[in-house]
Amino acid sequence: MATNDPRSPRLAVLIDADNTSPRIAAGLFEEVAKMGEASVRRIYGDFSSTRLKSWADLLNKYAIVPQQNFAYTTGKNASDIALVIDAMDLLYSGRFDGFCLVSSDSDFTRLAARIREQGVDVFGFGAQKTPESFRQACRRFIYTENLLPEAPAPDRPAPSTAKSLEPANAAVALLTRVIAQMSDEDGWVGLRGVGQRLSNLAPDFDPRTYGAAKLGDLVAKTRAFEIKRQASGDMLIRPKAQPAKAAAAAPRAEAEPALEAGDDAGVARTTARRGTGRRRR
């Protein structure tokens, strides 16, 4: 039956089991659901090894199809090759709107770049240690540390025990730069526009990296920006005015009392003290 509802973007989720923790599974598919429909869910590795047992226990729960690749030779990663081959086959099928590459391995940099050359979005998922080359090759890159159960989420406050990867003030320079690119004469810009510009400028930017569930929470947390809410509910922000710097450092306190004009007694006292310090001839 025909429907007028637009279909969610079809996504292919390809997981490198050797370079991804099974602890992120729930957060991973929650994040993917925000972007579209995970039409393909495949994971690559040698599941005959006990090392991947934790992943094997989750396959049925998340409907992930394992792609078994035996490690015939030490030091050779057949799983990476299998993932790349599958990705290119899926790309040329023309059935997918985006790919989710789940790995911290920079070897997938060229794969991500090639998929994007075809006009298809790539969303990368990896640990904070992921090399910058792979992060920048993706349209958006999500740190897997932000997908752990203790990470902040929009529907709940950050736990007091949760540790952010970076302090909130570490985001001030980037936010200020984006606002400067967008602001008009009065300096106010819409928070939504800032978020869109950040996605283009820094694919790995994520408020959760700084211990905030949403961008608005991060802006407020830094205390470096003025916030104004419009009647429509939209938020406007701009950097707070910086206090003017003193033209010169404050002079050191004099050892002797300050003298006012016409204070003859003070002059006499000062002269007398200075005289006592002179050596008699």
Side-chain angles (χ1 to χ4, degrees):
M1 183 174 63
T3 177
N4 294 326
D5 294 333
R7 185 183 179 93
S8 298
R10 291 185 176 91
L11 303 175
V13 182
L14 308 179
I15 305 170
D16 176 10
D18 293 323
N19 284 287
T20 305
S21 168
R23 292 184 61 212
I24 72 161
L28 170 65
F29 287 105
E30 285 181 12
E31 195 74 17
V32 171
K34 300 175 186 177
M35 305 169 183
E37 175 189 345
S39 300
V40 167
R41 304 180 180 200
R42 297 181 185 176
I43 189 167
Y44 300 78
D46 183 0
F47 295 96
S48 64
S49 169
T50 57
R51 189 169 56 86
L52 297 182
K53 185 179 185 304
S54 296
W55 265 119
D57 294 340
L58 296 173
L59 299 182
N60 288 336
K61 181 177 181 179
Y62 296 102
I64 309 172
V65 179
Q67 305 296 303
Q68 171 64 33
N69 295 276
F70 293 100
Y72 295 110
T73 304
T74 303
K76 302 296 183 182
N77 198 338
S79 298
D80 288 3
I81 297 174
L83 190 155
V84 172
I85 292 173
D86 279 6
M88 297 309 293
D89 285 345
L90 295 171
L91 174 65
Y92 287 123
S93 72
R95 295 184 292 113
F96 297 92
D97 303 296
F99 284 74
C100 298
L101 303 181
V102 188
S103 178
S104 302
D105 193 342
S106 63
D107 289 346
F108 294 114
T109 299
R110 185 65 187 101
L111 174 63
R114 180 63 187 86
I115 294 173
R116 293 194 70 186
E117 288 172 2
Q118 201 71 18
V120 178
D121 289 333
V122 176
F123 304 99
F125 296 80
Q128 193 184 23
K129 66 181 181 181
T130 305
E132 185 177 9
S133 58
F134 182 32
R135 302 199 312 262
Q136 294 297 325
C138 301
R139 178 190 170 189
R140 186 180 169 209
F141 192 89
I142 296 94
Y143 290 134
T144 51
E145 289 90 345
N146 292 328
L147 304 179
L148 295 172
E150 61 268 24
D155 58 347
R156 65 177 185 271
S160 57
T161 57
K163 294 183 179 179
S164 60
L165 299 177
E166 299 286 346
N169 59 13
V172 172
L174 179 59
L175 290 169
T176 301
R177 191 166 118 210
V178 169
I179 292 172
Q181 294 174 359
M182 301 173 59
S183 62
D184 50 21
E185 292 182 358
D186 62 6
W188 292 104
V189 298
L191 182 68
R192 186 175 304 173
V194 171
Q196 293 172 349
R197 181 67 63 91
L198 280 168
S199 297
N200 296 330
L201 184 64
D204 58 351
F205 180 84
D206 190 329
R208 293 171 295 187
T209 301
Y210 306 92
K214 297 180 290 185
L215 181 57
D217 296 337
L218 174 59
V219 169
K221 190 175 181 180
T222 65
R223 299 185 179 181
F225 302 93
E226 296 181 51
I227 299 174
K228 180 168 63 175
R229 295 188 180 276
Q230 296 182 304
S232 61
D234 293 337
M235 182 186 294
L236 300 178
I237 63 173
R238 71 178 178 186
K240 289 182 178 178
Q242 297 296 321
K245 295 182 178 180
R252 291 184 304 174
E254 295 291 342
E256 299 171 353
L259 303 179
E260 297 183 1
D263 188 355
D264 295 335
V267 172
R269 288 193 300 271
T270 302
T271 304
R273 283 198 301 271
R274 286 177 178 170
T276 59
R278 295 176 181 170
R279 186 175 59 184
R280 294 186 179 180
R281 299 176 182 242

